[in-house]
Amino acid sequence: MKYVIIIPDGAADLPVPELAGQTPLEAARMPHAARLATMGQLGTVRTTPPGFAAGSDICCMTLLGYSADRYHTGRAPLEAGALGLMPGLQDWIFRLNLVTTSDVGPAAPSDESGLMIYHSAGAITDAEAGALVRALAAHWARVEPQLAAQFSLHPGVSYRNILIDRSLRDYRGGLGGKDRLQTFPPHEIPRKPWRKFLPRGSHSDLLIRLMESSRACLAPHEVNVARREAGLREATMAWIWGQGTRPNMPSYASRFGVRGCITTAVDLLAGIAAFTGLERIAVPGLTSYHDNDYAAQGRASIAALDRYDLVIVHVEAPDEASHQGDFQTKVAALEAIDAHIVGPLLEELERRYTPRPGAPNVGWRMLIAPDHYTLCSTLKHDATPPPFVIAGSGIRALGRGPFCESAAAGADLHVEPGEALMEHFYFGGRRKAEPAGAGAGA
């Protein structure tokens, strides 16, 4: 059996007035996803468990079959795994975003005074971000030598970077207790006063010192000077959040009996892959935005079917468009995913792997599922259970469609807890026991 999972990140949404009251999924021309919906089953999946926020770390982990209650130790550790970083089990790992903030005062535009403007520093490039991160590490070594001696800073992809801090290993009780450290995702506070969302609780003062100090380092840097002259947003500040320790997750093969791979431009997904034994396939031209080479990602995914039982295709562009409130680009991204990824993969699965008389009984299944809603109206994630469609060998066709939020909400299949969707995908809903002793790491 061949399996394909396509994750159009943040694709689900609420109706957009400018789209005649349709959601982007409803407005987008997606004939291949619509056909898949008539071939199989529509439903919704609760990817945000009770007690958790609708973050991509939680939702993607749940969607891929891993209980967040059991395995989630923080977002940053997953992204560290994608970079090949394996800190000690007692080291604390943070996500460090390069963000665009505005100051309070006459120098800031009146409608942006003191706000979080962009969680991504205006989609800063890898090269620009790498130069800023190196400068920031050198700056902290000068102005905060005692703290800097205890951490290491690692460039990631674009605005996403990793900070590993050994100074907090003696304070795990405080970090996880009543006065636990609280940090806030910058993409969840768009156009809000950023100072109200600085870290709180145990040892937050250490992080705030680093974050405040970063502003003096980044403002005069040549990268920001060039971006300013080009009319682009600047990386004004380092925003530290998403803390946790290294997880201990059972392999995907041991959970579901398949050998799999993933194509993604996002370290978070690559980190989940690293900790679960899924191989990451490098695809030239893969990005987190609508400049992504969708056709190359589709071709690479088709080629991977020869070597793997499972191919996971994660596309970040719809989510990034939502965070900018750009519903037109979101629609365009969804149409590109359907044309260059869903369509070619579905054609290949039907042509090569549909069981036929006298041919090997291979079989195939495809699942399309956003990890969460991302709302163009609020620029934020939402915990509403997103839609999914599953079709292929052994899946009874119910003849409903198209693939959109309202059609899925009106279907009969609503999966909760969300991690059970993978059991339905592979085993037709029959529960499969997890390996004994598996659980979250220290």
Side-chain angles (χ1 to χ4, degrees):
M1 185 81 83
K2 294 291 183 178
Y3 301 95
V4 171
I5 298 173
I6 299 174
I7 306 174
D9 201 294
D13 209 329
L14 297 179
V16 176
E18 293 86 349
L19 295 175
Q22 296 178 300
T23 71
L25 274 175
E26 291 171 335
R29 295 181 299 275
M30 302 180 68
H32 303 295
R35 187 167 79 86
L36 198 72
T38 64
M39 295 168 58
Q41 301 173 0
L42 283 167
T44 66
V45 53
R46 185 168 294 281
T47 54
T48 305
F52 289 90
S56 292
D57 51 343
I58 297 295
C59 297
C60 287
M61 183 178 286
T62 301
L63 184 61
L64 293 177
Y66 290 84
S67 166
D69 276 324
R70 191 169 185 181
Y71 299 112
H72 186 264
T73 62
R75 176 170 179 147
L78 297 174
E79 301 191 1
L83 298 178
L85 304 173
M86 289 295 167
L89 291 176
Q90 293 185 331
D91 293 339
W92 279 82
I93 310 165
F94 293 85
R95 167 81 169 266
L96 186 148
N97 274 44
L98 295 173
V99 301
T100 304
T101 56
S102 62
D103 287 322
V104 176
S110 59
D111 62 340
E112 295 184 355
S113 181
L115 304 183
M116 174 67 69
I117 306 302
Y118 278 119
H119 71 285
S120 63
I124 194 167
T125 68
D126 291 1
E128 291 172 319
L132 291 176
V133 167
R134 289 189 291 273
L136 190 57
H139 171 75
W140 280 339
R142 289 192 303 271
V143 302
E144 292 282 1
Q146 290 183 320
L147 282 180
Q150 295 297 317
F151 65 72
S152 55
L153 186 54
H154 304 270
V157 177
S158 182
Y159 59 91
R160 311 175 186 93
N161 307 281
I162 292 296
L163 178 73
I164 298 176
D165 196 331
R166 296 177 296 278
S167 69
L168 298 175
R169 61 172 55 179
D170 295 331
Y171 306 115
R172 293 192 67 222
L175 288 170
K178 183 177 180 181
D179 189 34
R180 71 185 184 280
L181 177 66
Q182 292 179 277
T183 60
F184 301 90
H187 58 266
E188 290 297 315
I189 56 171
R191 299 282 167 172
K192 292 185 178 181
W194 60 266
R195 288 190 178 278
K196 292 184 178 181
F197 296 93
L198 290 170
R200 303 171 188 169
S202 179
H203 303 284
S204 58
D205 58 318
L206 305 180
L207 302 184
I208 293 174
R209 278 162 49 189
L210 295 177
M211 292 166 71
E212 291 280 13
S213 172
S214 71
R215 300 169 65 213
C217 168
L218 296 177
H221 195 280
E222 60 184 13
V223 165
N224 275 327
V225 172
R227 290 181 67 83
R228 190 182 312 133
E229 292 174 350
L232 301 173
R233 293 290 187 178
E234 301 168 46
T236 63
M237 186 176 186
W239 192 269
I240 302 172
W241 64 287
Q243 70 275 4
T245 53
R246 203 176 85 197
N248 180 24
M249 302 169 69
S251 72
Y252 206 87
S254 70
R255 289 289 317 282
F256 303 112
V258 294
R259 180 171 177 264
C261 68
I262 187 170
T263 65
T264 181
V266 176
D267 281 351
L268 167 63
L269 270 294
I272 294 175
F275 285 119
T276 59
L278 294 167
E279 184 172 337
R280 184 181 188 181
I281 303 298
V283 182
L286 206 60
T287 78
S288 296
Y289 306 98
H290 189 44
D291 62 353
N292 179 58
D293 192 336
Y294 299 96
Q297 192 169 13
R299 290 192 298 269
S301 301
I302 288 172
L305 288 170
D306 288 332
R307 294 175 287 145
Y308 299 93
D309 308 311
L310 164 70
V311 177
I312 301 171
V313 188
H314 172 262
V315 188
E316 178 72 1
D319 186 67
E320 291 290 353
S322 300
H323 285 307
Q324 305 302 327
D326 187 349
F327 58 87
Q328 292 176 320
T329 295
K330 184 170 186 175
V331 169
L334 292 171
E335 292 180 345
I337 291 168
D338 190 74
H340 299 295
I341 295 174
V342 177
L345 274 165
L346 180 56
E347 179 182 356
E348 189 75 1
L349 289 172
E350 290 183 302
R351 183 178 68 84
R352 293 183 58 188
Y353 301 110
T354 298
R356 294 180 175 86
N361 187 22
V362 178
W364 62 270
R365 288 186 183 181
M366 177 183 282
L367 168 70
I368 305 176
D371 51 344
H372 49 64
Y373 277 62
T374 309
L375 308 185
C376 288
S377 56
T378 66
L379 318 184
K380 295 165 59 174
H381 295 173
D382 183 88
T384 302
F388 71 84
V389 58
I390 179 174
S393 305
I395 302 297
R396 184 165 61 96
L398 299 181
R400 295 177 180 173
F403 176 57
C404 65
E405 300 87 350
S406 58
D412 298 326
L413 185 56
H414 305 287
V415 180
E416 186 177 353
E419 59 267 22
L421 179 61
M422 285 298 96
E423 297 170 0
H424 182 72
F425 184 51
Y426 295 114
F427 312 119
R430 291 180 290 108
R431 185 165 293 278
K432 181 176 182 289
E434 295 187 2

